[in-house]
Amino acid sequence: MKKILALLLFGGLLFSSCDPFHAKIEKDSETDTALYYSSEKISTPASIPDTLTIATWNIKFGGGRIDFFFDCYGDRVLMTKDEVLSNLQGIAQEIKHINPDIIFLQEVDISSKRSAYVDELQWILDHTDLNYGYYGSQWKADYVPSDGIGKMDSGSAILSKYPLSNARRIPLPLIEEQSGIVQYFYLRRNMLRATATIGAQSLEVITTHTSAYSTDGTRLKQLKEIKKEIDGVAAKGKKFVLGGDFNTLPPNTVVFEKFDDGACDDDPDFATHSAKDELDYMNLFLDTYEPAISQADYDADNSPYFSFTSDKNGFWNRKLDYLFTNGDFLDHSGLVHQNSERGGAETMPLSDHAPVSVRLILK
Amino acid sequence: MKKIIFAAVLLIFAFSAEAQLKWSDHSVHTLAKGRKEIGLFAPLKYGLKDSLELSVHPVFFFVIPHITVKKYWKSVGSWELGSTHGFAYPNLLYKLISRRGTGGILPENAKIPQLFKFNNSVSLGKSLNQHLDLTFTAGLDLTIALGEGSFPEIEFPIVYPRTYSHNQLITPYLGAHLSGELTGKLQYAYDGTAFFFVRENKGLNLENNLRLQWNASNKLAFRVGLVHSYGTYPFGKMGRLYPYFDVLFGF
């Protein structure tokens, strides 16, 4: 009988060893997959301001403008620790310059081979005035057996001067056109949501980073899920700010294909598709909530609001990054920190995205 | 389909009628002279003499030329002494897996020096009864790296401790092997191995490998097992559990 029990135990252990690369983030709960962080030195603001500065920035895993293979400008896959820390230094400097009360970051590596295993979220917390953070993995695997990428844990984060709580990582639909094996090792998009407590007030803060390369309508499904989530928050009478890299152009964008940074046009994995049929996607949000950059301002002139380019020698050529609220942003306080003239610092060397900031009226 | 299953069952019972020979394991004992074993995944083993066993993997050999020799030396009191000696040249394999896209285990631009890996170990074993054979092993991985560049570590359980010496010259290890009969043709085996990372990224990796083997006959055996690996990696500590199975053929 003991031997049969031992065999059963053995068999049970066998079956429990699924997901050999530990890539299925969703097998754990929404709360368990939102990881809490805090700065080594907490310095909470002494008084509650009338407005909060909120920002969003895709920091490209601290890769700066190194010529990576996926940009098709070079063949780099892995960085040295010195390179990562040097790039993070520039990112922290820019964050201190923006001085946000809350910032959403995308493409933050916390334990990835490509970024020499530096916990970038902890490093940024320890080298800025931000105190608290939550992290949700977007791409996680013990080993990604493609392009020499290796171990990966990269995702989105919410960083705040004020305490954060009730965090959840909410999964978004996966790209259906991918084969099972590719999907298993691929990015798993999500929303990361938390509650910021600013004095007596609560603010729901939500960040996201939607699919870049799907052609099967997955991104639209993801955007609808995000809309549903914030509609739910608004319906409960709660104030929210949503921000992130939506990988989607606004309506009335003049140039929506054949961008001047298209070095990957011959690579089916990384080529940029025409966004002609997607230009109404962001109306989901623009029709209901207040954006940091008003649509009227964008319609008047697209270029001051561009926040992305893969060509470090060119200029920002499209808008992918957004902030929305069901509260009130201070009029015309939205700013894309493109360079020293628009934002006060040169951000082109720091990431393939420029940070976007806005002031939220609190009282 | 039913016919195939019926034939397979008949075959297993036919094999079962033979006298039992000892299957290869991690004890000091070697295969009987002339006996060969191979698995779906396990390497080909050949008893060159009653005290000498050769081992190569027939598929991997062409991309990672290698050989392992196991030698039974003598009795030392109530204990028995054996050793293993291996060599591998993994560069062909690493070149194959340094690529863009799927299957790119290593970066395409990796500059890997010429690697010559040697493995030597000494084992002391003792058979307490039919239910327990005990073997202790001490070994050393040594990799001579010639030329410029470095090996981009594969920080994955099972692989990392066996490639640590590529950049760090040596990996000493200690092991314990227990095996024996559970019931008739059903055997168990346990291997515990501690790899010591004594240079950069210092630390330890512990592997526990527990398996069951049903020896249907001298010619056919089925193996299922679990290996648990816990240890230090360049990013910190990690523990992982993996199941495995194999079908072994002896002839």
Side-chain angles (χ1 to χ4, degrees), chain B residues 95-184:
Chain B
K95 192 173 180 184
L96 204 66
I97 61 174
S98 300
R99 50 178 292 187
R100 281 282 306 274
T102 307
I105 309 291
L106 300 174
E108 188 181 31
N109 65 352
K111 200 171 183 181
I112 302 171
Q114 295 297 312
L115 301 169
F116 303 92
K117 186 185 171 194
F118 301 90
N119 168 269
N120 292 286
S121 68
V122 179
S123 299
L124 270 178
K126 187 173 189 172
S127 184
L128 299 176
N129 55 51
Q130 68 178 30
H131 299 295
L132 183 59
D133 274 3
L134 188 60
T135 306
F136 297 106
T137 298
L140 183 77
D141 278 355
L142 168 73
T143 301
I144 306 295
L146 300 177
E148 289 182 5
S150 65
F151 178 69
E153 287 152 340
I154 301 177
E155 64 289 68
F156 194 75
I158 318 298
V159 180
Y160 180 70
R162 288 167 179 80
T163 52
Y164 177 84
S165 67
H166 287 3
N167 282 333
Q168 307 300 335
L169 186 65
I170 55 168
T171 313
Y173 62 91
L174 294 172
H177 169 81
L178 282 70
S179 61
E181 186 182 302
L182 281 176
T183 56

Side-chain angles (χ1 to χ4, degrees), chain A residues 243-254:
Chain A
D245 175 358
F246 286 68
N247 273 315
T248 307
L249 300 178
N252 304 326
T253 295
V254 176

